[in-house]
């Protein structure tokens, strides 16, 4: 018969209970029953092997508790009472069952848990989670406030509670126990203290202050508790020395260890490339390892882990890992608190149930009221000091800090450690149990009362009140949401599958009552035309200057938040490196508390300015090694001198010189060893003569080989100095040999013996080039860091430009913010241009890496789209992803410096000349190289275009009127009122005058040189001649129009859809775009089912149905199906739908031929008859342009390439 093995995971409680009842103490046949039971069990399990004998019931209890906590969290989601209270009473119930109903071994095991195991299990997760969630830059500024509350505040709080307990004659009048009780009740839990207030709009500064104080007083409480317990337990002969040593280890050494651990962790994370599992496992294991090592070395694991958490942030990990990481640590913290309160309930019930005395309730209430009252008195006493440091302080903040002090993890851990002590006297054991009981219940009361009412306190104090500016911002957000809802309904009604939906019911179903509505009294004091939330009518408000200032401040804070979001997005996309992203985010956060202050490039520069020491040191070393005068003498024809020259410049000669120096180091060192030098003095003297002779021979050979140029090399002069000093050394030693030794003679000899150490510096000849290389690498990193910060700042300004209208609550606010941001952006653009002039090789290397990174990101997004759409199998997609990741890793191998491109290379890289050999050769023949000095004018406003200028080197400034894109001046001023003067900066690779040459319109801005500038100039006559020469489709003129249209489309998409991934869309549809003409007074059909988007890139059109006029640049609405040209030159960029990629364009939508030079010279004002162009021509053009343009779709500033 086949033997069955059907084992289960756990022994049933019923079976355990059955065996327990059979082992009755004192029964006459107990031993026989016990033996019989074992025999039966052995027979049962060995014969059938179905159920296991013993399994760890604690595993069942732990996961059952987790399941119960999850169930309670789901059921009691809307309940104010924390679920930890219910978990605590579950533990109490288990303790009561064990004590009065049936003995449970698992309860006894938990009740005797080791305090060291307890703190090593729960504390690291709680401490790191709290510190990791803190804002380092806010914490750094408020560090003195945190220290005041956590050190003197904690000590005074503990002493007052101890004094009060002592006066109540509790714990048999022992002040030691009273002091320990005060320390236990003075510590707060960093997670539970802010759990109720962190998501209700309370100031981040106050939240960080509460959390920072809790973290530090946890560490201080453990230190004081251990020291006070040790002090009362045994005698200390050198108490002061022991105290100072312990404080040094617990405070200073722990902080240093935490800092070094964070550096090692960050370095390790840099070598983990896009592997989220490894990064999360590393963060988890590192936290517990650092905590354990710190505790093992006598340091504070809490402080070490706290420093680690503060110095790590979301940007420290790979993009996309941060969200999962936060959830992972939140889950660990939740589970830790669940187990902690279950154990707390079991331990308190099991240990203290027999020690409960009648006046317990009175003392517990007294303790609870005292700990809040004493904490309030301490905060009040410290408030004058707190208000003069950090972010300031007020009584409202003090009230929240007092009431949010929830006792938890560390209070219970210290009480547990005290109760587990082995005392000689029963009185001490009873006292420790009383402390456990009272501190546990007092901690539970803070969780039940304080945590459930602190939110109401915050609201009552007005710390989370939604001010009028906030409500106006939310009002604007609601308007935008409703507009999107209306637009979505309009589009869905065009869907043939949803045509018969019940739209009235659908519109009723989405009606939402949004919070923070403006009432009539508030509306009467405001000034701005807004849409009424009820009737959609325009309402005009009047606002006073104070309200304008409040709106400005609220808009400033929201812009800073938008900037930080932009920097994180840039980091996720690989545009910013980790250090630059952290610096920019930190800089933005530092502006939060500076009222009215906007982030500007001049103050951001302080974060990147490298220390001049490295640059100076590198320059000095380079001059020493390489900067020599030019050789004027020719090699000698003398055979001996020629032979000397060949020998000296051999690698073997330098190698032998180095070996001689190494060998000479031995006798030099022996000279300083008194016992050895006196014994081997004659031998050391002979060795000195020998090595000096070799140095002399080397100098003679070099002098003969190099002639007069010998003295031009610094190393040669240094070696000659060594030879001269060596001969002086020998002369002095020989001269004083016959003279009786005296103090002066001995001193002189010792000085020259010390001078022999200079010979060892000859080894630096091989070390200095390596040092120069290392310095150069570090300087390159600093300069790259500098450029990345400036570039990221400009990109951030570009990103938030599109959301100003949604943030500003008033036209004046919108205008002021637009001016500030535009000014800041232009200043940053200037800095970028100046950096490119000073460090062109480094800037080009950074741009090259960014271009590669952007293309690889686009490839990855395309791969994700194909995997999600089922086009590519997931396994196959994984292999393709590995290829892309491999290429991303290879980015680090790109050279840190890349030589600037020449004029010919820049011409070949022009997007409308690329891959067209005939076009390039023609333009090269016609082009001229022009040079301009600083301050020179390349072209002036209102003059006719003379041609196009390709900037080869230097930086130019554009100032005057903004480009109107073919819109007549009167209409343009209606939609763009005069305000911010147009300013822009262009650097290497940018082209000036393309659009003006195409349209033959006067220049709208003046171009001046900010530096010496070199340009490649192509006259307008030569350009028009090229248009007539290269008519093969796609024509040269069409390519230029396509490039301009893409520039305008990128800018327009970004301004209108800042919250969408417009770059990815353009990249995906790049080969499916074309430019078409709409001649004046001619109608054109759009959005007929073959077009995704239509962008008006030049001129103006009118909707034939609504008569609405649109001016470039503009994304034409999809409800518009026919437009009429109303300008001499009107261009549309059409993005076709995906299903038309492989089809030819119909004649109605074929791409029209553009103006040619002949037509312009004839003065035509309208477009000539359009000739049809096949879709394949456009696909060919766009494919040729694609890989050059894809990396430039991110932002306008990349024209500086």
């Amino acid at each position: 018969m086949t033997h069955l093995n059907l084992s289960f995971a756990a022994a049933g409680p019923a079976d355990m209970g059955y065996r327990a009842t059979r082992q009755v103490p004192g029964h006459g046949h107990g031993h026989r029953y016990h033996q019989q039971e074992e025999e039966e069990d052995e027979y049962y399990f060995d014969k059938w092997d179905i159920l296991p004998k013993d399994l760890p019931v604690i595993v069942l209890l732990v996961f059952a508790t987790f399941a119960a906590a999850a169930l309670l969290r789901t059921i009691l989601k809307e309940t104010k009472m924390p679920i930890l209270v219910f978990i605590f009473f579950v533990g109490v119930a288990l303790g009561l069952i064990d004590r009065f109903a049936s003995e449970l071994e698992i309860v006894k095991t938990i009740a005797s848990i080791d305090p060291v195991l307890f703190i090593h299990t729960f504390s690291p997760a709680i401490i790191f989670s709290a510190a990791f969630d803190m804002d380092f830059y806010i914490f750094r500024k408020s560090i003195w406030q945190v220290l005041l509350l956590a050190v003197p505040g904690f000590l005074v709080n503990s002493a007052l509670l101890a004094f009060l307990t002592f006066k109540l004659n509790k714990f048999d009048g022992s002040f030691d126990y009273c002091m320990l009780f005060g320390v236990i009740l003075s510590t707060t839990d960093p997670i539970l203290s802010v759990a109720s207030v962190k998501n209700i709009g309370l100031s981040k500064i106050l939240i960080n202050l509460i959390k920072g104080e809790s973290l530090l007083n946890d560490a201080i409480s453990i230190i004081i508790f251990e020291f006070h317990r040790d002090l009362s337990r045994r005698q200390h002969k050198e108490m002061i020395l022991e105290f100072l040593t312990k404080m040094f280890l617990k405070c200073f050494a722990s902080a240093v260890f935490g800092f070094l651990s964070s550096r090692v962790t960050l370095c390790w994370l840099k070598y983990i490339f896009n592997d989220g599992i490894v990064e999360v496992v590393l963060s988890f294991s590192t936290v517990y390892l650092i905590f354990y090592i710190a505790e093992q070395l006598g340091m504070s694991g809490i402080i070490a882990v706290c420093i680690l958490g503060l110095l790590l942030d979301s940007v420290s990990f790979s993009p996309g890992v941060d969200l999962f990481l936060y959830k992972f640590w939140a889950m660990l913290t939740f589970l830790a608190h669940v187990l902690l309160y279950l154990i707390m309930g079991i331990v308190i019930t099991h240990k203290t149930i027999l020690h409960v005395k009648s006046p317990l309730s009175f003392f517990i209430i007294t303790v609870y009221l005292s700990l809040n009252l004493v904490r309030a008195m301490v905060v009040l006493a410290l408030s004058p000091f707190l208000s003069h440091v950090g972010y300031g302080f007020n009584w409202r903040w003090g009230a929240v800090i007092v009431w949010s002090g929830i006792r938890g993890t560390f209070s219970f851990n210290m009480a547990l450690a005290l109760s587990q002590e082995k005392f000689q006297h029963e009185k001490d054991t009873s006292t420790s149990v009383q402390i456990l009981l009272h501190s546990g219940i007092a901690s539970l009361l803070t969780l039940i009362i304080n945590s459930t009412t602190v939110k109401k306190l915050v609201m009552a104090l007005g710390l989370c009140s939604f001010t009028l500016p906030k409500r106006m911002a939310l009002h604007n957000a609601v308007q935008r949401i409703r507009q999107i809802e209306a637009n979505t309904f309009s589009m869905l009604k065009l869907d043939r599958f949803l045509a018969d939906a019940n739209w009235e019911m659908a519109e009723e179903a989405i009606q939402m009552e949004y919070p923070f509505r403006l009432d009539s009294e508030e509306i009467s004091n405001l000034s701005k035309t807004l849409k009424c939330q009820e009737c959609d009518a325009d309402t005009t408000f009047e606002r006073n200057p104070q309200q304008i200032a409040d709106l400005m401040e609220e808009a400033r804070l929201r812009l800073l938040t938008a900037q930080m979001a932009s920097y994180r997005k840039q980091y996720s996309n690989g545009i910013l490196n980790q250090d630059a992203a952290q610096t920019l985010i930190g800089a933005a956060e530092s502006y939060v508390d500076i009222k009215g202050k906007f982030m500007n490039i001049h103050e951001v520069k302080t974060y990147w300015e490298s220390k001049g020491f490295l640059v100076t040191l590198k320059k000095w070393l380079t001059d020493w090694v390489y900067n020599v005068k030019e050789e004027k003498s020719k090699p000698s024809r003398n055979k001996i001198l020629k032979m000397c020259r060949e020998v000296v410049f051999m690698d073997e000669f330098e190698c032998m010189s180095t070996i001689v120096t190494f060998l000479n180091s031995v006798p030099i060192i022996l000279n300083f060893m008194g016992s050895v030098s006196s014994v081997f003095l004659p031998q050391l003297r002979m060795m000195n003569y020998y090595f000096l002779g070799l140095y002399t021979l080397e100098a003679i050979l070099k002098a003969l080989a190099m002639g007069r140029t010998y003295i031009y090399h610094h190393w040669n002069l240094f070696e000659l100095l060594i030879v001269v000093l060596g001969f002086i050394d020998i002369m002095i030693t020989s001269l004083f040999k016959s003279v009786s030794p005296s103090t002066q003679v001995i001193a002189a000899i010792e000085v020259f013996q010390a001078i022999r150490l200079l010979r060892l510096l000859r080894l630096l000849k091989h070390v200095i080039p390596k040092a120069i290389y290392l310095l150069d690498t570090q300087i390159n990193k600093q300069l790259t860091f500098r450029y990345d910060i400036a570039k990221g700042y400009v990109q951030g300004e570009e990103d938030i430009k599109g959301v100003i209208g949604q943030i500003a609550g008033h036209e004046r606010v919108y205008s002021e913010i637009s001016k500030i941001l535009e000014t800041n952006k232009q200043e940053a653009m200037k800095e970028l241009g100046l950096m490119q002039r000073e460090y062109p090789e480094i800037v080009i290397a950074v741009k090259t890496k960014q271009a590669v990174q952007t293309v690889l990101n686009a490839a990855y997004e395309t791969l994700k789209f194909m995997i999600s759409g089922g086009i590519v199998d997931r396994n196959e997609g994984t292999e393709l992803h590995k290829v892309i990741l491999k290429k991303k890793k290879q980015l680090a191998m790109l050279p840190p410096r890349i030589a600037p491109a020449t004029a010919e290379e820049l011409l070949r890289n022009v997007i409308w000349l690329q891959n067209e050999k005939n076009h390039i050769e023609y333009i090269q023949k016609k082009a001229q190289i022009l040079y301009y000095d600083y301050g020179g004018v390349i072209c002036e406003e209102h003059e006719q275009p003379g041609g196009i200028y390709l900037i080869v080197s230097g930086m130019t400034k554009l100032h005057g009127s903004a480009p109107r894109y073919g819109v007549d001046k009167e209409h343009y001023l209606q939609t763009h009122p005069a305000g911010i003067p147009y300013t822009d900066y262009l650097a290497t690779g940018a082209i000036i005058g393309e659009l003006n040459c195409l349209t033959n319109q006067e220049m709208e801005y003046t171009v001046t040189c900010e530096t010496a500038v070199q340009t490649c100039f192509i006259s307008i006559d030569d350009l028009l001649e090229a248009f007539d020469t290269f008519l093969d489709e796609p024509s040269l003129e069409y390519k230029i129009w396509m490039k301009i249209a893409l520039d305008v489309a990128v800018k327009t998409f970004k301004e209108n859809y800042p919250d969408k991934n417009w770059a990815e869309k353009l990249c995906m549809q790049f080969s499916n775009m074309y430019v078409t003409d709409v001649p004046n007074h001619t109608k054109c059909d759009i959005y007929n089912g073959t077009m995704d988007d239509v962008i008006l890139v030049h001129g103006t059109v009118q909707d034939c149905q609504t008569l609405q006029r649109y001016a470039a640049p503009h994304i034409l609405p999809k409800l518009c199906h026919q437009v009429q040209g109303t300008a001499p030159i009107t261009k549309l960029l059409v993005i076709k739908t995906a299903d038309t990629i492989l089809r030819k364009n119909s004649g109605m939508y074929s791409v029209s031929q553009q103006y040619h030079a002949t037509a312009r010279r004839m003065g035509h004002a309208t477009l000539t008859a359009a000739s049809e162009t096949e879709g394949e021509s456009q696909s060919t053009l766009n494919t040729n342009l694609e890989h050059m343009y894809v990396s430039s779709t991110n932002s306008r500033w990349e024209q500086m390439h």
Side-chain angles (χ1 to χ4, degrees), residues 953-972:
S953 64
M955 184 177 67
T956 61
K957 178 181 180 180
L958 283 59
H959 53 94
S961 304
R964 298 201 304 271
Y965 298 105
V967 182
D968 61 87
K969 191 170 184 179
E970 181 179 353
H971 181 75
Y972 182 82

Side-chain angles (χ1 to χ4, degrees), residues 621-786:
L621 292 177
T622 304
D623 290 344
W624 176 265
V625 178
Y626 302 112
N627 192 16
V628 297
K629 294 183 180 179
E630 185 178 356
E631 234 179 272
K632 297 182 180 179
S633 62
K634 297 180 180 180
S636 176
R637 296 182 180 180
N638 187 285
K639 292 183 179 180
I640 297 176
L641 297 180
K642 192 174 183 181
M643 184 181 66
C644 291
R645 185 179 183 86
E646 291 176 356
V647 170
V648 166
F649 286 98
M650 291 174 61
D651 292 337
E652 290 81 357
F653 184 83
E654 284 295 329
C655 183
M656 290 300 299
S657 176
T658 305
I659 292 174
V660 168
T661 306
F662 269 115
L663 293 175
N664 193 18
S665 64
V666 177
I668 290 175
I669 294 172
L670 292 178
N671 266 318
F672 290 93
M673 300 172 64
S675 58
V676 177
S677 62
S678 60
V679 175
F680 298 100
L681 183 60
Q683 291 83 354
L684 293 175
R685 184 180 295 116
M686 290 303 299
M687 293 177 71
N688 181 40
Y689 297 157
Y690 172 74
F691 283 110
L692 182 60
L694 291 178
Y695 294 150
T696 305
L697 178 61
E698 178 188 8
I700 292 172
L701 288 174
K702 286 185 177 181
L704 292 174
M706 303 174 69
R708 291 180 300 175
T709 60
Y710 175 79
I711 62 173
Y712 296 152
H713 292 261
H714 298 126
W715 273 115
N716 293 342
L717 295 177
F718 179 69
E719 291 170 352
L720 184 61
L721 175 64
I722 289 175
V723 172
V724 172
L725 291 175
F727 279 108
I728 295 174
D729 178 19
I730 293 175
M731 291 171 60
I732 290 177
T733 304
S734 302
L735 180 63
F736 291 133
K737 186 185 299 184
S738 58
V739 181
S740 59
S742 64
T743 305
Q744 293 79 7
V745 172
I746 295 174
I749 294 174
E750 289 178 349
V751 167
F752 276 95
Q753 284 183 349
I755 290 176
R756 294 178 193 175
L757 291 172
L758 292 176
R759 300 177 186 182
L760 302 181
L761 298 180
R762 288 164 49 91
L763 297 175
L764 295 179
K765 187 174 184 179
H766 302 280
V767 175
I768 288 179
K770 300 294 183 183
I772 291 174
Y773 174 78
L774 294 176
L775 286 172
D776 192 53
T777 302
Q778 188 63 30
I779 292 170
N780 286 346
K781 288 181 179 179
Q782 289 180 346
L783 294 175
T784 301
F785 173 68
R786 170 182 173 181

Side-chain angles (χ1 to χ4, degrees), residues 23 42 113 166 177 196 289 323 483 487 593 633 708 736 761 820 950 976 981 989 1029 1048 1090:
Q23 300 174 14
E42 183 178 358
I113 186 172
F166 182 75
Y177 284 116
S196 300
L289 282 173
L323 182 60
Q483 183 63 45
N487 294 343
D593 63 306
S633 62
R708 291 180 300 175
F736 291 133
L761 298 180
I820 292 171
L950 171 63
H976 298 79
T1029 303
V1048 175
T1090 63

Side-chain angles (χ1 to χ4, degrees), residues 510-579:
I510 68 164
Q511 292 297 325
M512 288 176 276
E513 189 68 24
Y514 290 102
F516 317 118
R517 298 177 60 186
L518 299 174
D519 54 36
S520 57
E521 183 178 353
E522 292 171 330
I523 290 177
S524 63
N525 296 323
L526 305 175
S527 170
K528 183 181 185 288
T529 301
L530 295 174
K531 293 288 184 182
C532 177
Q533 298 181 15
E534 303 297 336
C535 61
D536 204 40
D538 289 342
T539 310
T540 302
F541 309 137
E542 292 295 332
R543 297 184 182 168
N544 58 47
Q546 183 57 46
Q547 291 171 337
I548 295 293
D550 292 340
L551 287 173
M552 189 76 174
E553 179 64 15
E554 182 63 28
R556 184 190 71 86
L557 294 175
R558 292 181 182 269
L559 281 176
L560 287 173
T561 303
Q563 283 177 315
M564 288 185 278
S566 171
Y567 302 145
R568 292 189 179 96
K569 182 180 178 182
Q570 292 179 58
Y571 172 69
S572 299
N573 293 336
I575 299 175
L576 276 181
N577 62 34
Q578 185 184 97
D579 293 335

Side-chain angles (χ1 to χ4, degrees), residues 592-610:
V592 171
D593 63 306
I594 308 176
K595 190 172 183 179
K597 191 75 172 178
F598 287 83
M599 197 173 171
N600 63 78
I601 193 63
H602 296 295
E603 296 184 5
V604 173
K605 283 172 64 176
T606 59
Y607 290 90
W608 79 52
E609 288 179 344
S610 61

